[in-house]
Short mmCIF file of all heavy atoms in Angstrom, two decimals:
data_model
loop_
_atom_site.label_atom_id
_atom_site.label_comp_id
_atom_site.label_asym_id
_atom_site.label_seq_id
_atom_site.Cartn_x
_atom_site.Cartn_y
_atom_site.Cartn_z
N PHE B 13 193.50 88.78 244.65
CA PHE B 13 193.07 90.01 243.98
C PHE B 13 191.80 90.43 244.68
O PHE B 13 190.75 89.82 244.47
CB PHE B 13 192.80 89.78 242.49
CG PHE B 13 194.04 89.74 241.65
CD1 PHE B 13 194.41 88.59 240.98
CD2 PHE B 13 194.86 90.86 241.53
CE1 PHE B 13 195.55 88.55 240.20
CE2 PHE B 13 196.01 90.83 240.76
CZ PHE B 13 196.36 89.67 240.09
N VAL B 18 193.69 83.82 244.13
CA VAL B 18 194.08 83.33 242.80
C VAL B 18 195.17 82.28 242.93
O VAL B 18 195.19 81.29 242.21
CB VAL B 18 194.55 84.50 241.92
CG1 VAL B 18 195.07 83.99 240.59
CG2 VAL B 18 193.41 85.48 241.69
N PRO B 37 195.66 75.67 232.11
CA PRO B 37 194.52 76.24 231.39
C PRO B 37 194.43 77.74 231.58
O PRO B 37 195.03 78.30 232.50
CB PRO B 37 193.32 75.54 232.00
CG PRO B 37 193.78 74.96 233.28
CD PRO B 37 195.24 74.77 233.20
N SER B 38 193.70 78.40 230.73
CA SER B 38 193.54 79.85 230.80
C SER B 38 192.96 80.26 232.16
O SER B 38 192.04 79.63 232.64
CB SER B 38 192.62 80.30 229.67
OG SER B 38 192.63 81.70 229.62
N GLY B 39 193.56 81.28 232.74
CA GLY B 39 193.05 81.79 234.01
C GLY B 39 193.55 81.04 235.24
O GLY B 39 193.08 81.28 236.34
N CYS B 40 194.54 80.14 235.06
CA CYS B 40 194.98 79.34 236.21
C CYS B 40 196.02 80.09 237.04
O CYS B 40 196.40 79.64 238.10
CB CYS B 40 195.56 78.02 235.74
SG CYS B 40 197.10 78.21 234.85
N GLY B 41 196.48 81.24 236.55
CA GLY B 41 197.41 82.03 237.35
C GLY B 41 198.86 82.02 236.87
O GLY B 41 199.75 82.42 237.60
N LYS B 42 199.08 81.60 235.64
CA LYS B 42 200.45 81.58 235.10
C LYS B 42 201.05 82.97 235.05
O LYS B 42 202.15 83.22 235.55
CB LYS B 42 200.47 80.99 233.67
CG LYS B 42 199.85 79.63 233.54
CD LYS B 42 199.92 79.12 232.11
CE LYS B 42 199.06 79.88 231.12
NZ LYS B 42 197.62 79.69 231.29
N SER B 43 200.30 83.89 234.42
CA SER B 43 200.82 85.25 234.30
C SER B 43 200.99 85.88 235.67
O SER B 43 201.97 86.57 235.94
CB SER B 43 199.89 86.12 233.47
OG SER B 43 199.76 85.59 232.18
N THR B 44 200.02 85.63 236.53
CA THR B 44 200.09 86.20 237.87
C THR B 44 201.34 85.73 238.59
O THR B 44 202.06 86.53 239.19
CB THR B 44 198.84 85.81 238.68
OG1 THR B 44 197.69 86.20 237.94
CG2 THR B 44 198.83 86.45 240.04
N LEU B 45 201.64 84.45 238.48
CA LEU B 45 202.81 83.92 239.15
C LEU B 45 204.09 84.56 238.60
O LEU B 45 204.98 84.95 239.34
CB LEU B 45 202.85 82.39 238.97
CG LEU B 45 203.83 81.64 239.84
CD1 LEU B 45 203.55 81.90 241.31
CD2 LEU B 45 203.74 80.14 239.57
N GLU B 53 203.48 92.53 240.58
CA GLU B 53 202.36 92.41 241.51
C GLU B 53 202.96 92.15 242.89
O GLU B 53 204.02 91.53 243.01
CB GLU B 53 201.46 91.21 241.16
CG GLU B 53 200.83 91.25 239.79
CD GLU B 53 199.62 92.17 239.71
OE1 GLU B 53 199.21 92.72 240.75
OE2 GLU B 53 199.11 92.33 238.59
N GLU B 159 204.09 84.33 227.32
CA GLU B 159 203.56 84.01 226.00
C GLU B 159 204.16 84.90 224.91
O GLU B 159 203.44 85.60 224.20
CB GLU B 159 202.03 84.14 225.99
CG GLU B 159 201.40 83.36 227.12
CD GLU B 159 199.93 83.07 226.87
OE1 GLU B 159 199.53 82.98 225.70
OE2 GLU B 159 199.21 82.89 227.86
N HIS B 192 200.79 78.68 226.31
CA HIS B 192 199.63 77.82 226.13
C HIS B 192 199.99 76.63 225.28
O HIS B 192 199.27 75.66 225.20
CB HIS B 192 198.58 78.59 225.32
CG HIS B 192 197.60 79.30 226.16
ND1 HIS B 192 197.44 80.64 226.12
CD2 HIS B 192 196.72 78.85 227.07
CE1 HIS B 192 196.50 81.00 226.97
NE2 HIS B 192 196.06 79.93 227.56
N1 ATP C 1 194.44 92.65 238.17
C1 ATP C 1 193.59 91.65 238.45
N2 ATP C 1 192.52 91.86 239.25
C2 ATP C 1 191.66 90.87 239.55
N3 ATP C 1 191.78 89.61 239.12
C3 ATP C 1 192.81 89.31 238.32
C4 ATP C 1 193.77 90.32 237.94
N4 ATP C 1 194.68 89.75 237.14
C5 ATP C 1 194.32 88.46 237.02
N5 ATP C 1 193.20 88.19 237.73
C6 ATP C 1 192.54 86.88 237.85
O1 ATP C 1 193.49 85.95 238.30
C7 ATP C 1 193.33 84.72 237.65
C8 ATP C 1 194.64 84.30 237.02
O2 ATP C 1 194.95 85.20 235.98
P1 ATP C 1 196.23 85.05 235.08
O3 ATP C 1 196.28 86.22 234.18
O4 ATP C 1 197.40 84.80 235.94
O5 ATP C 1 195.88 83.74 234.26
P2 ATP C 1 196.75 83.03 233.15
O6 ATP C 1 197.02 81.67 233.64
O7 ATP C 1 197.90 83.86 232.76
O8 ATP C 1 195.69 82.96 231.97
P3 ATP C 1 195.94 83.07 230.41
O9 ATP C 1 196.48 81.76 230.00
O10 ATP C 1 194.56 83.31 229.87
O11 ATP C 1 196.86 84.22 230.18
C9 ATP C 1 192.21 84.89 236.66
O12 ATP C 1 191.07 84.30 237.19
C10 ATP C 1 192.05 86.37 236.53
O13 ATP C 1 190.71 86.70 236.31
#
Side-chain angles (χ1 to χ4, degrees):
Chain B
F13 281 116
V18 175
S38 189
C40 68
K42 305 181 292 290
S43 300
T44 305
L45 193 58
E53 300 281 356
E159 308 200 28
H192 267 120

